[in-house]
Amino acid sequence: MGHVIGIDLGTTNSCVAVLENGQPSVIPNAGGYKTTPSMFAITQDGKRLVGHLAKRQAITNAQSTVYASKRLIGRRFDSEEVQRAIDVTPFSIVEGPNEDVRIEVSGKTFTCPELSAFILREMKRVAEEYLGEPVQEAVVTVPAHFNDAQRQCTKDAGKIAGLDVLRILNEPTAAALAYGFNRNEEEKVAIYDLGGGTFDISILEMSDGVVEVIATAGNTFLGGEDFDRRIVEHLLAKFQEQEGIDLRGDAMALQRLKDAAEKAKCDLSAREVAEINLPFIASDDSGPRHLSVELDRATLEGLVHDIVEGTLKTVEQCMQDGGITVDQIDQVILVGGQTRTPLVQNRVAEHFGKRPHKGVNPDEVVAIGAAIQGETLVSEDDNLLLLDVTPLSLGIATFGGHFARLIERNTTVPVCKSHIFTTTRDNQSAVKIRVLQGESETAAENDLLGEFVLGGIRPARKGEPEVDVGFDIDANDTMTGKEQSITVNATGTLSDDEIQQIIEEQELYEVQLKE
Ligand code: AMP
């Protein structure tokens, strides 16, 4: 039997791990690095590059180098997040069919799953080179707060990369599995996961081989990249003040600034002051101009303070959802490269009233947890039981644009729930079911996962027919089957074509919650 690999498909970096002789280990790539930049590029002569090779040439080839595409996966083109990304990325983000996001690189158009697939294929290759055998099966991690579309797209990326994705696992849950590996204590653990592009907090209870997620919360558009952006804004303002030149709109200068900002941020985790020197960043009639700025830790902390406080508000919400108070938490574990920033560590420590656990490597722990879960799945090891939750409420749009929740967030998965709905008009023969995920009471403010039309309702007065809508969420936290059955008043004899005809002929109304 071949090995199952665990892949942490990160916004900024990715990591792959495997369990060998019962011990998990991270697999280094050909360059000896344990993490690989989640970057893809096409060079001027048409060569495709992934990982470190793509990163190394990013400055001189900014428009054809894609980074942080995980921030776009499974999102609609007109979403706020995508529009925000368009403003700040040097590569071209365009609209595809069905409001999908496409990325143009050197005249070629790619979907987000394709771009993630490039990274996954690279991680697969790294593992195959190390193990000396083909690898087929993998567990791939995603931020706990990813919705159904983002999870499905990640699964598709795995398929494109030639992997059989056994499970989509939440990153903080993976981290908890790694932390709990070979530990038999009963404890409540908080996983604070701040990576390059996403933030998650999960509260878990661990005891005797059972890992149960109590609650999770997060933000899939907040991470280290936002810290970098704040520093870039600061540098742009400083340069404009000193030299009178606005560097916004200069793709190469922006890429250099971004790289320098990230480096300074990382330096400031260990030092009080960082020097940022970018010679020949611009030029005008009076010759070349150089950027030279000193950034100290206090200034950085001022620039990102509100982001860190925002994460703590999310922590509070998660604790409330789980009915847990800080004094009940036994361990706080930091995951994600961005938790190396002292301000993050100090504020988290203050919030929980205890120093975070230092025993795990924040860059590697997620891939290790994924490898552990992979091995458990193939060996059918029943010494480990993992109970995860759905991060977002699932429901449907009802009459008047309201959102009717069928499955509340933080419900343990797998789960199956159903509810009876009815019509809003006399003799209505079809209803449109719009499936949504989110927390707003207003349907339009939540993410639309899909819509379908249920026909064949026998003529009746409004409010009389009963439409039973059921949802299944599997252990991947993806929806597998959408049950549609009309329990009362159904003719049950309409063919798909007839249903299609109804769609065309009839103005459809949203369904209404039956009292
Ligand atoms: P991850 O997604 O977990 O790989 O986290 C990547 C993020 O962590 C990026 O935004 C990095 O800039 C950031 N990061 C990595 N090392 C450090 C460090 N020493 N100090 C601060 N941030 C870091």
Side-chain angles (χ1 to χ4, degrees):
M1 192 184 60
H3 286 91
V4 188
I5 52 172
I7 303 178
D8 170 9
L9 178 62
T11 308
T12 319
N13 295 299
S14 294
C15 184
V16 57
V18 71
L19 220 73
E20 283 183 300
N21 304 323
Q23 279 307 313
S25 59
V26 166
I27 305 178
N29 61 24
Y33 300 102
K34 289 192 167 179
T35 60
T36 298
S38 305
M39 288 173 115
F40 167 76
I42 300 184
T43 60
Q44 257 149 19
D45 55 0
K47 244 192 255 149
R48 294 184 175 195
L49 305 177
V50 180
H52 288 282
L53 294 177
K55 186 168 187 175
R56 264 180 226 133
Q57 53 85 70
I59 288 173
T60 51
N61 188 25
Q63 273 141 335
S64 299
T65 304
V66 184
Y67 60 87
S69 66
K70 181 175 168 184
R71 287 189 140 188
L72 307 170
I73 200 165
R75 295 190 189 274
R76 281 167 194 270
F77 182 78
D78 59 5
S79 67
E80 196 191 324
E81 292 85 357
V82 173
Q83 293 306 312
R84 243 197 294 160
I86 290 172
D87 291 342
V88 294
T89 40
F91 52 85
S92 170
I93 302 169
V94 297
E95 186 168 2
N98 304 323
E99 292 177 50
D100 222 3
V101 173
R102 293 281 188 277
I103 294 168
E104 275 180 1
V105 193
S106 288
K108 293 197 172 56
T109 308
F110 296 94
T111 62
C112 292
E114 265 175 288
L115 292 167
S116 288
F118 289 131
I119 314 296
L120 289 175
R121 194 175 294 133
E122 176 66 10
M123 304 319 287
K124 178 177 186 278
R125 204 184 56 76
V126 165
E128 286 174 341
E129 241 166 54
Y130 172 85
L131 294 166
E133 63 180 39
V135 170
Q136 203 74 50
E137 296 175 317
V139 168
V140 180
T141 61
V142 293
H145 224 60
F146 255 23
N147 68 21
D148 188 73
Q150 291 166 307
R151 285 165 198 269
Q152 299 278 7
C153 285
T154 305
K155 246 187 143 177
D156 291 347
K159 238 183 263 169
I160 299 169
L163 285 167
D164 181 6
V165 179
L166 301 182
R167 182 67 53 92
I168 293 286
L169 183 65
N170 290 330
E171 288 162 10
T173 309
L177 287 180
Y179 165 77
F181 188 68
N182 287 344
R183 270 173 91 98
N184 286 321
E185 267 131 275
E186 243 179 66
E187 44 191 2
K188 284 197 177 65
V189 179
I191 310 274
Y192 178 102
D193 180 358
L194 188 60
T198 56
F199 169 65
D200 276 322
I201 172 79
S202 291
I203 312 292
L204 298 100
E205 193 161 3
M206 334 211 2
S207 68
D208 232 7
V210 180
V211 176
E212 183 176 3
V213 182
I214 301 172
T216 187
N219 183 338
T220 48
F221 219 81
L222 185 148
E225 299 263 341
D226 299 286
F227 285 52
D228 303 348
R229 204 167 301 138
R230 292 280 173 89
I231 301 172
V232 169
E233 283 300 328
H234 173 76
L235 297 176
L236 284 168
K238 278 252 166 211
F239 191 73
Q240 191 157 18
E241 187 187 298
Q242 285 166 6
E243 304 287 343
I245 298 176
D246 184 2
L247 294 173
R248 293 173 187 84
D250 179 342
M252 196 195 284
L254 284 177
Q255 186 61 43
R256 286 181 72 191
L257 281 168
K258 183 181 175 305
D259 273 13
E262 187 188 1
K263 187 172 176 306
K265 174 189 75 175
C266 294
D267 287 351
L268 288 173
S269 294
R271 293 210 306 264
E272 285 295 328
V273 183
E275 300 277 345
I276 301 167
N277 287 308
L278 294 170
F280 303 100
I281 189 92
S283 66
D284 64 6
D285 295 344
S286 54
R289 303 295 180 92
H290 316 295
L291 180 142
S292 177
V293 175
E294 216 172 61
L295 186 68
D296 60 33
R297 196 185 276 177
T299 307
L300 169 68
E301 292 184 349
L303 292 173
V304 300
H305 190 260
D306 61 314
I307 302 179
V308 180
E309 292 309 307
T311 65
L312 294 174
K313 281 211 187 86
T314 309
V315 169
E316 255 323 287
Q317 180 214 315
C318 183
M319 303 281 283
Q320 270 173 23
D321 280 358
I324 302 278
T325 52
V326 283
D327 49 295
Q328 289 176 283
I329 299 290
D330 301 299
Q331 284 289 2
V332 181
I333 296 165
L334 299 179
V335 181
Q338 193 53 63
T339 58
R340 291 210 164 89
T341 288
L343 176 69
V344 174
Q345 296 185 356
N346 294 339
R347 289 296 294 122
V348 171
E350 276 166 26
H351 191 83
F352 284 97
K354 55 171 65 73
R355 298 301 307 172
H357 174 77
K358 287 272 178 198
V360 298
N361 181 329
D363 297 329
E364 300 174 5
V365 63
V366 170
I368 286 177
I372 293 170
Q373 172 70 356
E375 192 59 30
T376 310
L377 289 172
V378 289
S379 62
E380 289 169 10
D381 173 4
D382 47 17
N383 290 326
L384 178 71
L385 175 63
L386 176 59
L387 297 169
D388 216 327
V389 296
T390 182
L392 298 161
S393 301
L394 183 72
I396 67 170
T398 60
F399 192 67
H402 299 294
F403 177 54
R405 271 161 229 254
L406 268 79
I407 298 175
E408 292 279 347
R409 70 165 184 255
N410 288 321
T411 301
T412 303
V413 293
V415 60
C416 169
K417 280 214 175 135
S418 65
H419 199 96
I420 306 288
F421 294 83
T422 188
T423 51
T424 58
R425 269 187 333 140
D426 289 343
N427 298 325
Q428 189 176 335
S429 63
V431 290
K432 188 184 209 173
I433 309 283
R434 304 179 73 227
V435 184
L436 303 155
Q437 213 172 14
E439 304 312 321
S440 173
E441 298 305 321
T442 308
E445 290 174 4
N446 292 321
D447 292 330
L448 178 66
L449 298 183
E451 48 193 350
F452 60 95
V453 171
L454 200 64
I457 303 171
R458 191 164 57 82
R461 270 192 275 163
K462 68 176 178 185
E464 280 179 4
E466 296 197 339
V467 180
D468 189 359
V469 180
F471 291 103
D472 276 334
I473 300 183
D474 65 15
N476 289 321
D477 207 353
T478 55
M479 283 203 304
T480 44
K482 287 147 219 158
E483 229 175 272
Q484 3 172 337
S485 62
I486 301 167
T487 51
V488 180
N489 289 334
T491 62
T493 53
L494 279 178
S495 69
D496 288 347
D497 285 353
E498 285 169 312
I499 293 174
Q500 189 55 37
Q501 209 178 337
I502 297 168
I503 301 169
E504 283 157 20
E505 284 173 5
Q506 204 172 335
E507 181 200 345
L508 293 169
Y509 278 68
E510 288 172 329
V511 290
Q512 184 177 34
L513 250 180
K514 189 157 185 162
E515 307 297 0

